Amino acid sequence: MPNRSSDHPISPQRKLAEAPLLNAETAAPDDPAWLSQPIRGLVRRSPVVIESEGTIQQAAARMRDAKVSSVLLMRGSELLGIVTDRDLRNRVLAEGVEGTQPVQQIATLRPRTLAANAAAFEALLLMTEQGIHHLPVEENGQIIGVLTAGDLAQRQSTSVIYLVREIGRQGDIPGLARAAARVADLQRQLAASTTPASTTGRIVTSITDAVTRRLLQLAHADMGPAPIPYVWVAAGSQARREQTARSDQDNCMILDDAYDEPVHGEYFRALSRFVCDGLDACGYVHCPGEMMAMTDTWRQPLARWKAYFDQWIHRPEPKALMLTSVFFDLRAIEGDSALLDTLRAQTLAATRGNSLFLAHLAGNALQHRPALGWLGQLSTEGTGAHRGRTDLKHKGAVPVIDLARIFALAAGAPEVNTFDRIEAAAREGTLSASAAKDLAEALEFIGRIRLDHQARQTAKGERPDNFVAPSELSNLARRQLQDAFKVIQTLQSVLQQRYGGGSYK
C-alpha cells in the first residue's frame, strides 16, 4: 500500500522579474502555466471523514450523502487511511464482504499525501506514475481536502500527463523514442507560457525519469527480476531536476554489498547496457565522459561507492574534483533508495564544515566564470561555431550550480536541486537571505532566457543549444542578464574570500 510521502514538496515559486502568476482556479485549462500553481487552489471542499472505528456501510453512506468518491479514516486529526468508490467495488462488492465489517479492512492505510504548496504538475506525475486517483492534501499538519484525478483532468493539458502515460504504455524502444521526441515541443509550450524556468526543468526532467523507469521495466520483463537489490541513480542535471530538451545522460548504479561479480556481473552489465542504449535511442545521448551505469566503474556495490567518495573528499585531486560536479548530484530513480540514502548520509557527514575539501571544491568552481567582459558587458565566444554568442550554460547556469552545491555541502544539506540548495544554504546560514534571493533570481532569469532561446530554435526546426546572440535580446533583457551575471560574480568573490588564499574559514 502506498505510504505517506517523505519527499520534500516543491518550494514556493521564487521571484524573478516575472509576469504575474495565474491563480490555479482561473488559469485556462490549455495554458500550461497552471501546472506550476500550488494544488491548494485546486482543492474544492473540506475532506469528508469517518472515524476509524466505523463500518464499511457507514463509509459508503457518508460518501453517498456528501456526493464524493472518497472518505478519509481519521483518529482525531491523524489520517489513518482512505476508502474510495473503487475500493467499494473491488474490495467489497466483488469479494462479497459484508457492510458491517470494519472499514479499516478495505481501506488503503497510510495513504500518500502532498503538501498544499506543491505544484500541480507534481500531483499529476505522482498520481499518474503510482496509479493514485485520490490524493489527500496537507497544510500545517492538517488535511484540508482531497485532490482527485477528475479535478486534474478538467485542466489537463495535452503535454506532460499524456506524455508520461504514453511512455508507460510503450512496449519497445522505438515506441519510447517516438514519445520522447515530443519533449522539445513540450518545452516550447512551457516556454511560451508563464511557467517559471525552475518548474519547466522539473517537468522536462520528469519525462526523462519516466523513460528511464520504463526502460528498466522492459529490461526486467525480458531478463527477470534483479538477483540482488540495487538502485538506479540519476546524476548531474537529471538528478537536480534541471534538464532541458535533449540533454545527454549521466547515471550510475549502486548495488547491494551482496554483489558477487562471477554470479551477478553479467546480469547487471546487460541491464545497464539496455537502459543506457535505450536512453541514447530516445535522444539522451551517451555521456561523452562515459559517466553512465553501463561503464563498469560507475556500477558498483555500496562499499565501493563509499570508498570512491571517501577518496574524493580526503584526496581532492583535479580529476576527483571534476567527478564531484557530477556525482555529488545524485537522485534515486528506481530500486532500493536506501542504498543511496546510506551513501548520501556518509557524504554529508564528511563534507559538512570540511573547510579543506570545500576550499578545493571552491577553487575548481571558480574556474567557471560568468560571461562578463572587463567593463561589465556581456562577453561572447571568440572562435568556433558559436562565435559571437553567449554561453548561457557553462558561463551562466553552471557557475550558479557550483556555488549552490558548495554552500549546501558546507551546511550538510541533503538537497540536490539548485534552487532547493540555495534555500537550504540560507536556512542553515552558509548564505545570507539576501544573497540567496539574488542568486535564485539570477538563475531563474538565466533559465528563462535559455528556454526562450531554445524554444525559438525548436520552432525553426533547429537543434536546441545554449548559445544566444546578445543581438537577439531586447535592451532590457541584456541589462537584466548582465545584472544576473554580476550577482554570480559577487557571490564568487564571497566564495573566494571564504575559502581562497589558504584561509579556510
Side-chain angles (χ1 to χ4, degrees):
M1 295 182 183
N3 290 329
R4 183 171 174 171
S5 172
S6 60
D7 296 339
H8 293 287
I10 295 175
S11 56
Q13 296 305 327
R14 298 89 180 167
K15 285 185 176 177
L16 154 88
E18 59 192 7
L21 292 177
L22 300 176
N23 182 280
E25 281 293 321
T26 59
D30 58 352
D31 182 351
W34 75 273
L35 289 168
S36 67
Q37 305 309 307
I39 59 174
R40 179 189 299 105
L42 295 172
V43 175
R44 297 180 178 277
R45 59 175 296 166
S46 300
V48 176
V49 305
I50 184 174
E51 290 297 318
S52 58
E53 293 77 14
T55 66
I56 295 172
Q57 189 277 331
Q58 290 172 333
R62 187 69 54 83
M63 292 165 61
R64 177 200 62 198
D65 295 343
K67 298 180 180 179
V68 294
S69 57
S70 68
V71 63
L72 300 181
L73 279 64
M74 306 290 293
R75 179 180 294 145
S77 61
E78 180 185 4
L79 174 63
L80 300 181
I82 185 171
V83 173
T84 70
D85 51 2
R86 294 179 67 190
D87 295 329
L88 295 177
R89 291 195 306 271
N90 299 336
R91 299 178 181 178
V92 179
L93 293 177
E95 299 297 329
V97 176
E98 293 292 334
T100 55
Q101 294 297 310
V103 69
Q104 287 197 44
Q105 181 176 323
I106 57 116
T108 297
L109 303 178
R110 295 177 289 114
R112 189 75 180 261
T113 68
L114 203 59
N117 67 342
F121 92 86
E122 185 179 5
L124 277 169
L125 295 179
L126 176 63
M127 296 171 81
T128 300
E129 292 177 358
Q130 299 195 12
I132 298 172
H133 292 80
H134 296 79
L135 189 61
V137 178
E138 186 175 18
E139 187 167 38
N140 298 324
Q142 300 291 323
I143 301 298
I144 64 170
V146 177
L147 190 66
T148 71
D151 295 331
L152 296 175
Q154 294 180 13
R155 297 183 170 278
Q156 179 172 295
S157 72
T158 58
S159 54
V160 61
I161 194 67
Y162 275 173
L163 191 48
V164 170
R165 285 177 173 172
E166 185 176 341
I167 287 168
R169 290 196 294 261
Q170 300 308 310
D172 55 29
I173 290 177
L176 280 174
R178 287 191 296 271
R182 293 169 53 190
V183 173
D185 287 335
L186 169 62
Q187 181 173 302
R188 182 163 57 89
Q189 181 187 21
L190 293 167
S193 72
T194 57
T195 306
S198 54
T199 299
T200 297
R202 292 179 185 267
I203 293 174
V204 171
T205 303
S206 71
I207 305 303
T208 314
D209 291 352
V211 171
T212 305
R213 292 190 183 101
R214 187 57 182 154
L215 286 167
L216 285 163
Q217 292 166 3
L218 292 175
H220 288 309
D222 181 60
M223 300 170 55
I228 60 170
Y230 78 93
V231 61
W232 185 278
V233 180
S237 61
Q238 184 185 359
R240 296 191 304 271
R241 293 188 171 99
E242 295 168 9
Q243 284 191 309
T244 59
R246 299 297 178 141
S247 299
D248 60 0
Q249 58 175 290
D250 294 301
N251 47 61
C252 60
M253 289 180 75
I254 304 175
L255 310 174
D256 189 89
D257 282 333
Y259 177 76
D260 183 348
E261 168 61 28
V263 177
H264 307 130
E266 184 54 38
Y267 179 94
F268 286 108
R269 273 191 293 275
L271 176 68
S272 59
R273 170 65 69 174
F274 178 87
V275 176
C276 290
D277 285 349
L279 287 169
D280 183 74
C282 291
Y284 306 99
V285 299
H286 287 138
C287 172
E290 299 187 343
M291 295 180 188
M292 298 172 291
M294 71 180 194
T295 304
D296 291 347
T297 305
W298 310 126
R299 186 184 65 255
Q300 294 291 333
L302 176 59
R304 178 62 62 86
W305 277 104
K306 288 181 176 180
Y308 283 163
F309 277 84
D310 182 72
Q311 180 178 350
W312 295 339
I313 293 168
H314 295 104
R315 293 191 294 277
E317 300 171 352
K319 183 178 180 180
L321 292 170
M322 181 271 294
L323 292 172
T324 61
S325 67
V326 176
F327 291 113
F328 271 57
D329 300 351
L330 299 177
R331 181 169 58 87
I333 301 299
E334 192 75 10
D336 186 357
S337 60
L339 293 168
L340 178 58
D341 293 341
T342 300
L343 178 64
R344 194 190 309 280
Q346 172 188 293
T347 303
L348 293 176
T351 57
R352 183 185 181 102
N354 187 334
S355 296
L356 182 59
F357 170 72
L358 293 171
H360 284 290
L361 204 60
N364 187 65
L366 291 173
Q367 296 178 33
H368 303 136
R369 297 288 184 172
L372 283 178
W374 68 280
L375 292 177
Q377 77 279 15
L378 293 178
S379 64
T380 60
E381 300 298 295
T383 60
H386 304 295
R387 184 175 181 272
R389 295 178 174 269
T390 298
D391 186 346
L392 295 175
K393 180 179 179 180
H394 295 99
K395 296 183 179 179
V398 168
V400 181
I401 293 166
D402 289 342
L403 285 167
R405 183 186 299 114
I406 294 169
F407 288 127
L409 288 174
E415 284 80 0
V416 177
N417 174 265
T418 300
F419 287 102
D420 293 342
R421 278 174 163 168
I422 292 170
E423 292 180 0
R427 185 175 63 246
E428 298 297 327
T430 57
L431 190 61
S432 71
S434 60
K437 179 176 179 290
D438 288 344
L439 194 60
E441 290 185 7
L443 180 59
E444 178 68 31
F445 187 75
I446 293 167
R448 167 53 54 192
I449 296 295
R450 186 180 176 192
L451 291 173
D452 288 345
H453 167 66
Q454 293 184 350
R456 289 193 296 271
Q457 291 180 306
T458 300
K460 296 176 183 177
E462 301 172 356
R463 186 176 180 85
D465 62 31
N466 299 293
F467 297 87
V468 64
S471 59
E472 295 177 13
L473 307 176
S474 68
N475 290 333
L476 177 60
R478 283 198 297 272
R479 288 196 298 270
Q480 288 180 312
L481 191 56
Q482 287 173 306
D483 288 342
F485 288 160
K486 288 174 183 176
V487 168
I488 301 171
Q489 202 171 59
T490 299
L491 267 295
Q492 286 187 332
S493 296
V494 170
L495 193 70
Q496 190 164 24
Q497 291 170 8
R498 186 175 301 179
Y499 295 111
S503 176
Y504 305 127
K505 298 180 182 179

